[in-house]
Amino acid sequence: MGISITIASGKGGVGKTMLSSNLGIALSQFGKDVTILDADIEMANLELHLGLEGMKVALHDVLAGEADISQAVYNGPEGIKVIPAGISLEGLRKADPEILEEVLGKLLKDTDILIIDAPAGLGRNVVTALAAGQELIIVANPEISSMSDALKTKIVAAKLGSHILGTVLNRVGYDKTDLTVQEVQLILETKILATIPEDPEVRRSAAFGSPVIVRTPNSPAAIAVKKLAADLIGKKYIPPKPRKESFMKRLVNGLFGGI
């Protein structure tokens, strides 16, 4: 029997799905059997991050009682298994989120780690995803508005009995208005599991439908996610030494954004 980890955030746009997809791949690279489930049945986009558009059977169909969960499992990058939520409005109308916990029970019999990419916000579907997962990672950006939303998520999760592993700070830059790690810990009263730096490679990878940990494994964001995965399962990870770029390459990157 495996364990389930819900990746949640108080609002959209903080990098929750980016973390779900890349963390799942990193854990797979460390030898774990990993399944990632997109529980955002209203605004699904995990399949876009993984380049798996157009899947015929999705979680929508399972929650509508029209398919078995085994029919909605697809092979993703680096050996992970992926369950897309589906983007059909008709499928959304038929789906019953209350079945999700039963579905997760079946999945945990056949995987080491099940990552649940929860919807943003605190609606019914979010509460269902929070209640269904065994462990919880909160994703936030180092800004006041994100802290408010993350704190609400933490409070609801605690009331539902979720075990909160901690918080991942994403898109950490060098803006003077950014909150420090110490300030975030004081506000949320959770462990900071990782800080993922602002990295242009994340956006570029999303545009290509390829996770950053696969497309540019030595980029700052990919290295941070890999270290997080290692810490979660007690593995040792030694980041690669940064390579010095030639003057010509720096010039090209500056002029054309490295694309």
Side-chain angles (χ1 to χ4, degrees), residues 53-103:
E53 305 96 313
M55 302 295 99
K56 292 184 178 180
V57 180
L59 184 62
H60 277 174
D61 304 295
V62 178
L63 298 183
E66 297 178 349
D68 185 77
I69 187 59
S70 62
Q71 297 173 270
V73 180
Y74 299 90
N75 294 323
E78 302 291 305
I80 63 170
K81 289 175 283 189
V82 181
I83 302 168
I87 57 176
S88 163
L89 291 177
E90 178 64 17
L92 172 60
R93 186 183 66 81
K94 294 180 180 179
D96 179 6
E98 298 298 329
I99 303 175
L100 181 60
E101 192 165 356
E102 179 185 336
V103 169

Side-chain angles (χ1 to χ4, degrees), residues 11-31:
K11 67 174 184 178
V14 300
K16 173 177 56 60
T17 300
M18 182 283 292
L19 181 63
S20 297
S21 55
N22 284 279
L23 178 60
I25 291 172
L27 289 167
S28 179
Q29 291 174 340
F30 278 118

Side-chain angles (χ1 to χ4, degrees), residues 159-242:
K159 288 183 177 179
L160 292 170
S162 300
H163 177 240
I164 302 170
L165 291 174
T167 299
V168 170
L169 273 182
N170 187 41
R171 302 189 67 179
V172 176
Y174 302 99
D175 195 298
K176 292 181 180 179
T177 63
D178 280 357
L179 296 172
T180 65
V181 168
Q182 291 74 21
E183 288 171 331
V184 173
Q185 285 180 321
L186 184 63
I187 294 169
L188 297 182
E189 296 183 323
T190 66
K191 179 181 180 181
I192 303 302
L193 300 172
T195 58
I196 302 176
E198 182 73 73
D199 187 346
E201 290 299 337
V202 172
R203 181 173 294 181
R204 292 171 190 152
S205 295
F208 284 97
S210 176
V212 68
I213 202 167
V214 175
R215 186 171 181 269
T216 53
N218 292 333
S219 64
I223 290 173
V225 173
K226 189 91 173 183
K227 184 179 184 305
L228 170 62
D231 290 343
L232 288 176
I233 58 176
K235 292 277 189 177
K236 186 175 181 180
Y237 172 62
I238 301 176
K241 292 182 179 179

